[in-house]
Amino acid sequence: MKFSFKQFLVPNFAKRLAFMLPAVILMGVFVSILVEIGWGTDPASFMNLNIASTLGWGLGNTEVLVYGLMLIFTFIFGAQMIGFGTLANMILIGYVVDLCRWIWKNIGFASFIAQSSMPVRIVIFALTLLFFVFVASIYINAQMGVAPYDAMPQIISGWIPKIPFFIIRIAFDLTAVLIGVIAGKFNPQGIQGSAIGSIIMSLLLGPVISLVGKPLKKILDVPRTEQPLEEPQNC
């Protein structure tokens, strides 16, 4: 399919946009807390965080660069997947994470997490993950475009239909984690976050987001004629 600006104007546009934009912003907020805890994020954030740290960049600038390259790939081979949600994911989340981490540092929340006991950190982690899954479900089920990171494995899956999508997705996520580990090896500060935690989280988020998303589709009035998007594993 060729790209058309008309694909940005989805049915129930205003209502879905009103849900999607706050959800994207909140995804950035919750990712920033997961980064502070250090037990893992999604593979895409893990990769970008380590690239950013190695280059000495902010996460926002890094995600715009990395996802911008992925967006070019998507525009060429899967233009029909692009929408307002694609751009919001690419541009907003990284900068929201940067802003929130600056706030957490200055109000002492980052120090509080670092110095907290294990039970307290577990509670913060569990609540943050729960809220992240909920807002991610809102973003996904608004169906206003696929994040550049999530579009690539869908496109690759279309090229090799004999291989199940979940295998391609896992391989793609593992590649992102590997890139993050390699980038971290060049960083004097070492690898940022947990590679193992990021892999485990990527395997769990998809099914949970899908489950939470079923009742949200009715709230968002997503037409049944629309094809459901594959469940993203990133912010």
Side-chain angles (χ1 to χ4, degrees):
M1 293 179 62
K2 294 183 178 180
F3 175 81
S4 171
F5 284 104
K6 293 181 179 179
Q7 68 195 55
F8 282 73
L9 302 176
V10 296
N12 303 310
F13 175 83
K15 183 176 183 178
R16 289 158 74 173
L17 183 67
F19 276 86
M20 185 272 291
L21 277 179
V24 168
I25 293 171
L26 288 173
M27 285 168 65
V29 174
F30 296 131
V31 167
S32 72
I33 299 175
L34 292 174
V35 171
E36 294 294 344
I37 295 172
W39 290 351
T41 61
D42 59 279
S45 296
F46 176 82
M47 173 184 69
N48 291 328
L49 185 66
N50 278 280
I51 293 174
S53 181
T54 300
L55 295 176
W57 290 13
L59 184 61
N61 290 339
T62 302
E63 290 202 346
V64 168
L65 174 62
V66 174
Y67 290 160
L69 295 175
M70 292 182 177
L71 183 63
I72 295 174
F73 180 90
T74 304
F75 184 83
I76 296 172
F77 299 108
Q80 73 277 7
M81 298 182 184
I82 298 173
F84 275 113
T86 307
L87 302 180
N89 183 289
M90 181 180 79
I91 296 172
L92 291 179
I93 292 181
Y95 289 115
V96 171
V97 172
D98 287 339
L99 175 61
C100 286
R101 294 194 70 192
W102 178 82
I103 293 173
W104 304 152
K105 180 180 179 181
N106 282 275
I107 67 174
F109 184 53
S111 298
F112 171 77
I113 292 177
Q115 298 170 7
S116 293
S117 63
M118 183 61 67
V120 172
R121 297 184 73 182
I122 290 174
V123 170
I124 295 175
F125 179 78
L127 290 176
T128 301
L129 194 57
L130 176 64
F131 290 135
F132 171 77
V133 168
F134 180 73
V135 297
S137 296
I138 294 176
Y139 163 73
I140 293 165
N141 289 287
Q143 294 192 12
M144 298 191 74
V146 181
Y149 178 90
D150 298 302
M152 290 189 66
Q154 292 189 43
I155 294 170
I156 295 171
S157 178
W159 292 345
I160 42 178
K162 292 184 179 180
I163 300 179
F165 174 77
F166 79 92
I167 294 179
I168 294 175
R169 179 70 205 215
I170 291 174
F172 191 78
D173 285 339
L174 290 176
T175 301
V177 173
L178 178 61
I179 292 173
V181 170
I182 293 173
K185 292 295 185 180
F186 290 95
N187 186 354
Q189 300 178 7
I191 297 173
Q192 306 297 301
S194 168
I196 296 177
S198 296
I199 293 173
I200 294 174
M201 191 175 299
S202 72
L203 297 176
L204 294 177
L205 286 179
V208 177
I209 288 174
S210 179
L211 179 64
V212 175
K214 291 180 180 179
L216 288 172
K217 288 182 179 180
K218 296 180 180 180
I219 298 174
L220 293 170
D221 293 332
V222 176
R224 293 185 179 181
T225 55
E226 291 189 29
Q227 294 296 320
L229 305 177
E230 297 290 352
E231 305 298 351
Q233 310 267 333
N234 82 297
C235 309

